[in-house]
Amino acid sequence: MVYTISGIRFPVLPSLHNSRFRGDRRTASLPVFLRNNSFSRKTLALKSSHDSDSLSSAIAKSDKVLIPQDQDNSASLTDQLETPDITSEDTQNLEDLTMEDEDKYNISEAASSYRHIEDGQGSVVSSLVDVNIPAKKASVSVGRKSKIVSDEVKPKIIPPPGTGQKIYEIDPSLLAHRDHLDFRYGQYKRLCYEIDKHEGGLDTFSRGYEKFGFIRSATGITYREWAPGAKSAALIGDFNNWNPNADVMTRNEFGVWEIFLPNNVDGSPPIPHGSRVKIRMDTPSGIKDSIPAWIKFSVQAPGEIPYSGIYYDPPEEEKYVFKHPQPKRPKSLRIYESHIGMSSPEPKINTYVNFRDDVLPRIKRLGYNAVQIMAIQEHSYYASFGYHVTNFFAPSSRFGTPEELKSLIDRAHELGLLVLMDIVHSHASNNTLDGLNMFDGTDGHYFHPGSRGYHWMWDSRLFNYGSWEVLRYLLSNARWWLDEYKFDGFRFDGVTSMMYTHHGLEVAFTGNYNEYFGFATDVDAVVYLMLTNDVIHGLFPEAVTIGEDVSGMPTFCLPTQDGGIGFDYRLHMAIADKWIEILKKNDEDWKMGDIIHTLTNRRWLEKCVAYAESHDQALVGDKTIAFWLMDKDMYDFMALDRPSTPIIDRGIALHKMIRLITMGLGGEGYLNFMGNEFGHPEWIDFPRGDQHLPNGVVVPGNNNSFDKCRRRFDLGDADYLRYQGMQEFDQAMQHLEEKFGFMTAEHQYISRKNEGDKIIVFERGNLIFVFNFHWTNSYSDYRVGCSTPGKYKIVLDSDDALFGGFSRLNHAAEYFTSEGWYDDRPRSFLIYAPSRTAVVYALADEAEPALADATEPEPVDLDDKLLG
């Protein structure tokens, strides 16, 4: 008897007490995916060390580490190696690394460069090679080869640490905190050295998924799991009728459990593709069935509460093969933040396939060049928005299969879109049934024990970044998504929580450097972030990393070799908070200088992604900008066949102005959460039932409704609703940036911020932006300064009727500059500045194409499949 969900077949789970293994594994329960699989591959040997609560303790006490080696006829542990001697609390001067060590390790390219090369038989091997020795055939592939072949494949190299001193040249204020920063860099440098010495380098260390979890070879399957707290372990699943006595695992002295399952007599794999699997352990907390920590897919069967791990290894003919190359990193990022499940206009959980076919063309047409996808990592609790991760290597099965996710990413690449993943390494679900919490029955396995390992606000567990095996797990996890699924980078969630032991809770960051460099800083976590940026940028040079940091940590977006943490961008989170603060005030209380300060308050040489609002502002308990502006009037007065109201007119006008000035001044990248481009009404409320608290209080749910857990794209498309005008403006704004590249232009000058007139004028690149925030005053013959002489024309006008405005400007008008200093600019010209309007001017010889993009966007059609 089987039942299905989303095309996946589940067998009925037999009784755990009465099941018995009956010999040949082919007679076991039906697998989830009824497929045979002859896939085999050679795996790379990876050196395994034991764990410690901190890199300062047990690692230094051990003498040797056993290294598991996959063999065709054995799963024995063979070679031995000295363990790393790492001291996280070591306060020795950096010069304690001897000159001999420096000569051998610190920046010797010949000793620290790693390449993937192929041996004579075409198998991929990992070698530590001298850069002067030519490799055979350079390859960027690990495992199954891709059909995408470039003309010249360059070796992937993770550069060794630099001196870490350039940060003091960039920001001399850091010199006052040199002891802390040099200690931090010393820990990073020392850890790189130990990983090179004992693991063969970060390249090998970050491929833990080739050694842990399920590893297929020509003669069978090896399964390994790090669970030092377990007293015994057995692999159970459909393949052996869930018999805990059939496949008992052996443990090495460092807590790595292992079993080798030989192929069946006919050569078929011992665990069929699609079979449900778990590891049963006798732990200090009792007998526990857990989903393998390195599982690649997990599902929740209908009618069941816990998830089940899935042995996922489809036959070659069913594996998705990428057809399109990954796009190059754009100079400026315009990110469309998305959630697969809630991306349908219908009240349901949407799929990877529907998102691929319906939403990606929309994103492309709107003018964005990157899509950031939330909730990819498997999470048992849907309403967590994907932030309470249970299975870190598994894509969420709610939305489809891994192969369907790959097809989505490939389609995005075909459209020229980068695909960024919202990755969660800041914490993990406290779910003990499906996730890592209490995995081996102990509190301090992957996480800090006690209160330090618990986030009281998020109700989740906090990783111990000073643990060797946690580093392997998380570094490998980041690499896995880039390597296997071809993601183009990450938005790292909750980085502020990672970097401080107080997690940013009940702390007001003022910008005082003492807040960043002291005992409250989790140096282990910061060093982990440096390492993961090294892995990502070294092995995937075009990949993008964005960190969600609200604290303003200095050096956050500076290269690790210079002493920085290594991110490409910081999310400029203060902007959204400022807009909410301003929207609570009357129009006359809006301060132009306050707006300017918040938008431009960012560190030199550290790029930011600006946004007026993200998913955070759309959740229950908060309001989107559109809802702050228009509130209940949105329900009754958004139709064009009925009169508007002053509230609607004001709301639509300010909605456009807020978004444009945020993009214009806020950073080198821009982000929008799906649907907010047209002022999506209401809030996001995930389906949920009533919650019964321990104290007897009942928190009412929403009857598990999906009504407010969807995106009403039909509202933005409807030509009879005012939402469409806001959507058209957002599209014009994106195309304007694509045309002129103003977000990354070096030239930026704010020439006017007049509190009386409520006028802001600034130059970015060759464009001149004029914002009139006054609620009633329009200004004729208003002079604005500029630097470049010539004839200017309007390239974007928020008051255009196409955008729901009043068409108070003549787009055919020409504006000629006159010489003479005005607002500290050598030239100026006269304009008409209507109230609550934003207008962008460009030199006439550059204006026409941009104006066409702005005023004549393509009609929006959900069913239009761009490029096919």
Side-chain angles (χ1 to χ4, degrees):
M1 174 180 175
V2 297
Y3 48 90
T4 64
I5 177 173
S6 300
I8 301 175
R9 295 168 60 84
F10 297 96
V12 173
L13 183 64
S15 168
L16 296 181
H17 301 289
N18 299 326
S19 61
R20 290 196 179 122
F21 179 59
R22 300 180 178 84
D24 192 330
R25 300 178 191 279
R26 291 172 297 174
T27 65
S29 299
L30 293 172
V32 175
F33 298 95
L34 302 180
R35 301 283 189 271
N36 291 322
N37 184 0
S38 59
F39 172 65
S40 65
R41 64 179 177 182
K42 295 182 179 179
T43 57
L44 306 183
L46 178 146
K47 303 172 183 179
S48 174
S49 68
H50 68 294
D51 175 58
S52 67
D53 178 65
S54 167
L55 294 179
S56 64
S57 52
I59 290 180
K61 298 176 184 176
S62 176
D63 293 324
K64 295 183 178 179
V65 172
L66 295 180
I67 311 163
Q69 300 280 351
D70 280 335
Q71 297 183 5
D72 286 347
N73 57 1
S74 171
S76 64
L77 301 178
T78 55
D79 301 340
Q80 296 184 346
L81 178 71
E82 293 182 2
T83 55
D85 182 9
I86 302 172
T87 308
S88 182
E89 304 297 330
D90 189 357
T91 57
Q92 290 178 324
N93 194 292
L94 291 181
E95 279 71 27
D96 286 351
L97 278 180
T98 67
M99 292 302 294
E100 292 179 340
D101 286 331
E102 296 287 331
D103 290 340
K104 289 187 291 184
Y105 162 71
N106 179 33
I107 341 283
S108 168
E109 292 185 358
S112 300
S113 299
Y114 292 86
R115 295 179 180 173
H116 288 110
I117 60 175
E118 294 182 352
D119 62 18
Q121 287 72 43
S123 299
V124 179
V125 297
S126 178
S127 298
L128 176 62
V129 296
D130 189 295
V131 294
N132 297 318
I133 301 175
K136 293 181 182 178
K137 294 169 62 179
S139 172
V140 296
S141 174
V142 178
R144 186 167 60 91
K145 296 180 180 178
S146 171
K147 289 189 176 180
I148 303 171
V149 180
S150 60
D151 295 334
E152 180 182 357
V153 181
K154 298 180 180 179
K156 296 178 177 180
I157 298 174
I158 301 175
T163 63
Q165 300 299 298
K166 190 173 180 180
I167 55 174
Y168 304 118
E169 300 175 21
I170 295 171
D171 185 357
S173 298
L174 295 172
L175 288 168
H177 303 275
R178 188 163 196 159
D179 288 346
H180 177 99
L181 289 164
D182 283 355
F183 171 76
R184 183 180 86 181
Y185 204 75
Q187 294 304 108
Y188 158 75
K189 199 170 178 180
R190 201 180 307 275
L191 192 50
C192 288
Y193 170 70
E194 297 296 344
I195 291 173
D196 272 5
K197 179 180 178 182
H198 301 291
E199 297 282 356
L202 277 169
D203 186 355
T204 303
F205 191 54
S206 62
R207 294 203 307 272
Y209 48 82
E210 295 181 353
K211 186 55 55 176
F212 287 90
F214 294 93
I215 310 300
R216 183 81 168 97
S217 67
T219 57
I221 296 172
T222 300
Y223 169 59
R224 293 191 187 94
E225 197 73 73
W226 174 62
K231 304 171 187 176
S232 65
L235 181 61
I236 57 175
D238 293 329
F239 73 99
N240 64 7
N241 287 322
W242 302 88
N243 184 352
N245 300 314
D247 296 295
V248 177
M249 303 176 71
T250 59
R251 180 190 192 277
N252 73 7
E253 60 184 298
F254 305 112
V256 176
W257 295 88
E258 180 175 348
I259 188 170
F260 175 76
L261 304 177
N263 286 338
N264 295 318
V265 293
D266 63 355
S268 62
I271 307 177
H273 164 59
S275 293
R276 293 181 296 175
V277 290
K278 286 192 175 183
I279 178 173
R280 172 165 292 185
M281 293 174 284
D282 182 6
T283 77
S285 303
I287 301 296
K288 184 176 188 291
D289 292 353
S290 296
I291 295 176
W294 298 74
I295 200 71
K296 305 305 188 296
F297 196 47
S298 63
V299 298
Q300 183 182 37
E304 293 186 4
I305 294 177
Y307 274 61
S308 293
I310 299 296
Y311 176 71
Y312 193 83
D313 188 14
E316 290 294 328
E317 64 271 15
E318 294 183 13
K319 293 182 179 180
Y320 187 85
V321 178
F322 287 89
K323 306 174 182 65
H324 305 285
Q326 294 176 248
K328 297 294 184 182
R329 182 197 305 196
K331 189 174 182 181
S332 58
L333 277 177
R334 300 186 302 278
I335 303 170
Y336 197 81
E337 185 184 30
S338 307
H339 184 284
I340 300 293
M342 58 180 294
S343 63
S344 171
E346 302 299 322
K348 65 178 184 179
I349 296 178
N350 209 11
T351 66
Y352 295 126
V353 170
N354 288 342
F355 189 93
R356 176 196 69 198
D357 294 341
D358 297 335
V359 183
L360 285 180
R362 167 184 292 276
I363 296 170
K364 175 66 176 180
R365 188 165 52 251
L366 286 173
Y368 292 86
N369 58 17
V371 53
Q372 178 179 298
I373 306 181
M374 309 168 61
I376 290 296
Q377 294 164 294
E378 189 59 89
H379 49 290
S380 297
Y381 184 42
Y382 186 46
S384 73
F385 230 138
Y387 291 120
H388 281 211
V389 175
T390 45
N391 310 121
F392 282 77
F393 287 82
S396 179
S397 58
R398 286 184 183 86
F399 316 135
T401 68
E403 308 312 304
E404 290 167 341
L405 173 58
K406 292 177 182 178
S407 74
L408 181 161
I409 294 171
D410 199 26
R411 172 62 170 150
H413 291 163
E414 181 185 7
L415 294 171
L417 297 171
L418 267 65
V419 186
L420 307 178
M421 175 177 165
D422 196 342
I423 196 168
V424 183
H425 282 181
S426 51
H427 64 132
S429 171
N430 67 1
N431 183 329
T432 57
L433 289 177
D434 307 319
L436 296 179
N437 189 21
M438 302 291 290
F439 182 85
D440 68 348
T442 65
D443 185 42
H445 183 198
Y446 282 92
F447 312 106
H448 286 292
S451 60
R452 188 180 177 189
Y454 178 72
H455 196 294
W456 61 265
M457 180 174 284
W458 295 345
D459 189 25
S460 57
R461 297 305 311 274
L462 299 171
F463 285 107
N464 176 8
Y465 304 102
S467 163
W468 190 267
E469 292 303 326
V470 170
L471 287 178
R472 186 199 309 277
Y473 186 81
L474 294 178
L475 289 171
S476 299
N477 185 244
R479 180 171 181 174
W480 166 255
W481 294 106
L482 299 177
D483 215 7
E484 181 70 15
Y485 287 89
K486 311 302 180 190
F487 278 97
D488 301 293
F490 300 111
R491 177 257 197 196
F492 278 82
D493 176 69
V495 175
T496 302
S497 175
M498 298 172 67
M499 294 192 298
Y500 306 96
T501 55
H502 53 60
H503 311 300
L505 300 176
E506 299 179 338
V507 174
F509 290 98
T510 65
N512 187 315
Y513 276 27
N514 292 317
E515 298 166 351
Y516 306 120
F517 310 117
F519 293 113
T521 304
D522 188 337
V523 174
D524 286 338
V526 175
V527 169
Y528 161 69
L529 293 170
M530 297 167 73
L531 291 173
T532 196
N533 274 300
D534 274 353
V535 169
I536 293 167
H537 292 131
L539 300 177
F540 305 90
E542 293 295 322
V544 175
T545 60
I546 305 168
E548 186 197 30
D549 171 41
V550 71
S551 74
M553 166 70 81
T555 76
F556 191 75
C557 294
L558 296 178
T560 56
Q561 288 186 304
D562 297 338
I565 299 176
F567 283 98
D568 294 309
Y569 296 87
R570 182 205 313 271
L571 277 179
H572 201 334
M573 302 177 69
I575 297 176
D577 294 337
K578 176 57 67 174
W579 283 124
I580 299 303
E581 175 189 323
I582 291 175
L583 288 171
K584 295 177 181 178
K585 299 179 180 180
N586 296 325
D587 289 7
E588 56 268 26
D589 295 325
W590 288 29
K591 301 299 182 184
M592 303 299 101
D594 197 19
I595 294 172
I596 292 293
H597 173 75
T598 300
L599 290 172
T600 58
N601 184 24
R602 53 187 186 272
R603 299 189 184 281
W604 183 51
L605 296 181
E606 298 194 41
K607 294 185 291 185
C608 288
V609 173
Y611 59 95
E613 55 185 339
S614 69
H615 67 272
D616 289 326
Q617 287 71 40
L619 290 170
V620 170
D622 206 340
K623 291 183 180 181
T624 63
I625 287 178
F627 222 50
W628 274 108
L629 289 166
M630 295 177 279
D631 205 65
K632 64 181 185 299
D633 276 31
M634 297 182 74
Y635 297 121
D636 299 315
F637 300 101
M638 293 300 284
L640 291 171
D641 63 355
R642 65 181 64 181
S644 181
T645 68
I647 291 176
I648 293 295
D649 291 342
R650 172 184 181 270
I652 291 176
L654 290 177
H655 188 272
K656 293 178 288 186
M657 296 179 71
I658 286 170
R659 303 175 84 77
L660 180 59
I661 198 170
T662 298
M663 174 183 263
L665 280 180
E668 293 73 28
Y670 178 79
L671 178 142
N672 167 67
F673 179 66
M674 62 178 185
N676 287 352
E677 66 274 10
F678 60 82
H680 198 289
E682 297 188 319
W683 52 86
I684 296 170
D685 191 7
F686 281 85
R688 52 193 170 83
D690 294 343
Q691 183 181 6
H692 298 266
L693 301 180
N695 60 5
V697 175
V698 177
V699 179
N702 62 6
N703 199 28
N704 291 306
S705 171
F706 285 88
D707 184 61
K708 291 182 173 59
C709 191
R710 53 176 172 155
R711 293 283 91 178
R712 294 289 306 275
F713 293 122
D714 55 309
L715 299 178
D717 295 341
D719 57 9
Y720 54 87
L721 296 177
R722 291 184 168 88
Y723 294 106
Q724 189 180 63
M726 291 188 283
Q727 178 170 280
E728 295 285 359
F729 180 78
D730 191 85
Q731 176 172 329
M733 188 171 72
Q734 305 304 322
H735 284 287
L736 182 76
E737 206 290 323
E738 174 70 21
K739 165 70 178 175
F740 289 94
F742 57 82
M743 283 198 299
T744 54
E746 292 185 6
H747 175 65
Q748 176 175 307
Y749 190 89
I750 301 164
S751 60
R752 174 164 289 234
K753 44 184 178 182
N754 189 297
E755 300 293 351
D757 296 342
K758 299 299 180 185
I759 291 279
I760 293 174
V761 180
F762 63 87
E763 303 164 20
R764 196 147 189 200
N766 293 326
L767 299 179
I768 298 174
F769 294 74
V770 180
F771 291 81
N772 180 2
F773 280 98
H774 204 284
W775 49 100
T776 57
N777 290 354
S778 298
Y779 304 103
S780 298
D781 294 331
Y782 199 87
R783 186 171 296 277
V784 297
C786 65
S787 59
T788 306
K791 179 174 67 175
Y792 285 81
K793 297 194 68 174
I794 295 173
V795 291
L796 183 61
D797 169 19
S798 69
D799 198 46
D800 193 314
L802 179 65
F803 309 142
F806 298 98
S807 297
R808 288 172 287 178
L809 288 170
N810 179 6
H811 293 172
E814 297 174 338
Y815 304 86
F816 295 88
T817 60
S818 58
E819 297 296 320
W821 288 88
Y822 188 80
D823 284 347
D824 290 327
R825 312 310 291 145
R827 299 165 187 89
S828 61
F829 58 91
L830 298 175
I831 64 167
Y832 174 53
S835 61
R836 287 191 183 132
T837 297
V839 184
V840 184
Y841 299 86
L843 288 167
D845 57 354
E846 302 176 4
E848 294 303 330
L851 183 59
D853 283 340
T855 58
E856 298 178 9
E858 297 179 48
V860 179
D861 183 357
L862 249 184
D863 297 323
D864 178 24
K865 306 297 187 294
L866 195 64
L867 301 179

